[in-house]
Amino acid sequence: MKVPLSWLREYVDLPAVTAQEVADKLTAARLKLESITSYGHDVKNVVVGEVLEIEELTGFKKPIRHCKVEVGEATPREIVCGATNFAVGDRVPVVLPGGVLPGGFEVGARKTYGRMSEGMICSERELGLTDEHAGIMVLPPDTPIGADVADLLGLRDDVLELEITPDVGYALSIRGVAREAAVAFGVPFRDPADVELPAETEQAWPASIADPTACDRFVLREVRGFDPAAQSPLWMRVRLARAGMRPVSLAVDVTNYLMLELGQPLHAFDRAKLTGEIVVRRARPGERLETLDHVVRDLDPDDILITDESGPISMAGTMGGLETEISDASTDIVIEAAHFSATGISRESRRHRLVSEASKRFERGVDRELPLVASWRAVQLLAELGGASVQPGVTHAETDVRPARIAMPAGHPGAVAGVTYAKESVVRRLEQIGCTVTDGDDPAVRRGGVDPTGVVTGGELAAKLAVTGDDMITVTPPSWRPDLTDPNDLAEEVIRLEGYDRLPSILPAAPAGAGLTEGQRLRRRVGRALAAAGYVEVLAYPFVSDTDFDHLQLPADDARRRAVRLVNPLADDEPLMRTTLLPGLLKTLVRNVGRGFTDVAVFESGAVYRPREGAPPTAPVLGVQRRPTADELASVAAALPDQPHRVAVVLAGEFDRSGWWGGGRQECWADAVQAARIVADEAGVELSVVADQHEPWHPGRCAALYAGDTLVGHAGELHPRVVEAYGLPPRTSAMELELSRLEPAVPGPVQAPQVSAYPVATQDVALIVPDFTPVADVEAALRDGAGGLLESVRLFDVYAGEQAGEGNKSLAYTLRFRAQDRTLTVEETTAARDAAVAMAADRVGAHLRGA
């Protein structure tokens, strides 16, 4: 919201402060400053002149005029000008030699087109007023010659650009910002909406509200005999331009001006193009409307429309229809002002991707009492500036809306802030923002619900705190603050106005026993371990599409295809919550490879979302007026999907980098399996690796990962079709493991291992096994057979050739033995080795090579 300081001062008696000081006060009142733009402070030596003579110069490619201009000095100034829209006797702004225009542009006397030019005659854009530059700015004939143009036209101004959050929609107006400034500086506020309305009983144009949930107040007023050629006055065009809006025409400028000033959007209809009664209703199936931006829109049944007998004529609160647009020939105008549903306008705007200045205000909440005032101000300005006559009567359709009333203990703001606020201070601050405060504990308000005098809120908190004997007050928020619905909202207002800087800074005491859970510790350890192993952590969006499931080659009945669908997705092409981490990682890999990073090893740790069988389709929406009951919380939990925590890695290119030291090593499926082992080590779990077939992995290079009898994940090389679908490097590998299934196995706090002081004894064995035998099965047999003296087993050689025999392979292992209490003898280690070999022979048919 751009706020010219001169406009603000019309309604607030600000002291002699700078724009920065005003901005600091407003920022403290939660209207955050974005920027300050200064206009005209560098302008000097620009005066009013009267054109005495004009000589048309010939022989040039464009019209050139040599003018004599009276500027209040002893002799007229001679000025060369290329504009032709002024005549002898016109009064114009003139910058004299040595003068400066906005932006620091200095003007001097110089010879041009064969004549001496002593200055420059200015357009509106050159003076920094508007973007109009089609010709010279012609001033009213009674403007005093020689007067300072900067003072005369108000060139010097500062504009504050404020960031307005969705909960303070009232501040999207000069009226709202002025009210905050008045409170901040402790000065009077003059409300531009405080006008006396005529007592009228006639209707301006027949209208009605067909859907009270879409609109609860609809106002029409009418003017006739409007002059379409009438120009918006300079002061209005300047204010619109500095507030960030482009001047269009008088009728449009008036509605925009009042929207900026009051915060009430208005719309002007050409009366000659209306047919029959105007009705506010929801759209019907198949209806369409061509809006002012020349786009034909298919309307949704939830859209809020303004219609007449011809059908839709406007998308309420968002954009008008082209058929009833004000044109250059419009003389009779109907002005519409209304109070529409904030949620309805918000959904309509997003549905059609049509965000307007009007929709921004309606979706944040507009003052329900403004339509009558704003429409009256609009017809008055059209009459005053456009020569129209205001027709008697006003159409006022409305539904009964009772004001909210909130019960609150007077000490509640202090309890929230941790400081003591006197009851008088609480009441004074609430009255400053426009609330009506009454003493006493209204039982109906404390109970919550609705009583005959109005809607009441805050019941549970009021009832809870009233028993303490605290003074109770009943607060009725003003019509321009629909965001005040709860005692905590009122507490926030009191605290911010009393000053956040007055709140003490106290470090809260850490509660005993708090800290990270074992699951959280595991996730952090896993992240550090993978990073230490050379992987880079990424955070991908958790949104996927059905196309991702197709790219992963998932079968039609795969459980991973059952995904949670978002009601309001960020992107229409990714409306689902992920059921696997792989799509986000694969897209990250593609992006990196596309930018020249061909050697990639990335990982992600996060939740996936798996819908439960029999879960309700949507979660219930609970109110905020009280704490949900156990049954309500259970109903929400039942609708939520399972959210197991997973970790996944993706590798491509070189895993061990090449360089001057020699060649590197390409990643392979074994690196993905090793990544799983790294994760399992952090949980203190030993994984079993079993060959498997599971999409999206290559059927011959896929490993299922087990922790005991529990399947915890898969690893291996991706299927070539998956590589092709995503555009991945050849033979890309990946691993995905469910951490949630490892967490129960975490033994708790890490125990220091016992370190034996006795020497290690090693024994090497080379076993011949059938070539289809999994290495993991051989290793498991060796471990089980060797007994408790075995410290580790390591495969250091695999051989398949003539000496191993056809259909066989040779596996060479190093077995390390150690005891905690003695030095092992050769006989003990040999016996343990022989037992290990015997177990391998029994389980997988292994025998010693050469035996």
Side-chain angles (χ1 to χ4, degrees), residues 3-6 8-9 14-27 31 33-39 41 156-162 181 185:
V3 181
L5 208 55
S6 60
L8 196 66
R9 289 183 184 276
L14 293 177
V17 292
T18 65
Q20 185 62 55
E21 290 173 308
V22 176
D24 291 342
K25 288 282 190 179
L26 293 176
T27 298
L31 302 182
L33 177 71
E34 286 288 321
S35 64
I36 299 177
T37 305
S38 296
Y39 293 90
H41 291 286
R156 300 182 180 96
D157 201 357
D158 293 296
V159 176
L160 311 180
E161 185 171 359
L162 304 174
F185 284 96

Side-chain angles (χ1 to χ4, degrees), residues 47-299:
V47 300
V48 177
E50 180 179 357
V51 180
L52 302 178
E53 298 178 11
I54 297 177
E55 178 187 355
E56 304 287 348
L57 303 182
T58 60
F60 301 102
K61 293 182 179 179
K62 60 180 182 179
I64 299 296
R65 308 168 110 192
H66 180 252
C67 310
K68 286 189 177 181
V69 184
E70 172 62 45
V71 293
E73 297 177 339
T75 59
R77 293 282 185 170
E78 296 185 6
I79 299 175
V80 175
C81 181
T84 60
N85 67 311
F86 61 95
V88 172
D90 285 343
R91 301 202 173 179
V92 294
V94 178
V95 55
L96 299 177
V100 179
L101 291 174
F105 180 71
E106 296 184 8
V107 176
R110 65 190 183 96
K111 190 171 184 179
T112 181
Y113 295 101
R115 301 294 180 93
M116 179 59 68
S117 182
E118 303 173 298
M120 187 173 79
I121 306 175
C122 304
S123 67
E124 291 182 8
R125 187 168 74 171
E126 289 163 342
L127 291 174
L129 292 171
T130 69
D131 287 334
E132 179 60 46
H133 64 286
I136 292 303
M137 179 181 182
V138 178
L139 301 171
D142 57 348
T143 307
I145 296 174
D148 186 343
V149 168
D151 294 336
L152 183 71
L153 301 181
L155 294 185
R156 300 182 180 96
D157 201 357
D158 293 296
V159 176
L160 311 180
E161 185 171 359
L162 304 174
E163 178 186 336
I164 307 300
T165 54
D167 60 322
V168 286
Y170 67 93
L172 283 173
S173 65
I174 301 298
R175 180 195 187 209
V177 176
R179 182 180 282 108
E180 290 290 348
V183 174
F185 284 96
V187 295
F189 166 65
R190 294 181 293 278
D191 191 348
D194 186 14
V195 298
E196 185 176 351
L197 300 176
E200 297 176 308
T201 58
E202 301 178 32
Q203 275 200 340
W205 187 277
S208 62
I209 299 172
D211 187 345
T213 66
C215 175
D216 56 43
R217 174 163 284 174
F218 191 75
V219 175
L220 297 176
R221 296 186 190 270
E222 184 181 343
V223 296
R224 296 186 185 177
F226 174 74
D227 180 9
Q231 296 292 315
S232 301
L234 178 64
W235 60 267
M236 180 179 289
R237 288 186 283 122
V238 170
R239 283 188 170 176
L240 287 173
R242 290 185 176 172
M245 301 197 75
R246 180 177 61 87
V248 179
S249 65
L250 178 58
V252 175
D253 291 350
V254 164
T255 59
N256 286 339
Y257 180 83
L258 291 174
M259 177 181 68
L260 292 172
E261 183 178 73
L262 301 175
Q264 171 66 54
L266 300 165
H267 188 69
F269 294 104
D270 187 334
R271 184 184 185 278
K273 299 175 182 178
L274 297 175
T275 56
E277 182 185 18
I278 291 178
V279 179
V280 184
R281 60 171 173 83
R282 302 280 181 174
R284 294 168 183 162
E287 286 190 311
R288 309 178 81 191
L289 174 66
E290 185 175 2
T291 46
L292 292 173
D293 56 358
H294 299 277
V295 175
V296 178
R297 303 182 185 275
D298 294 317
L299 302 175

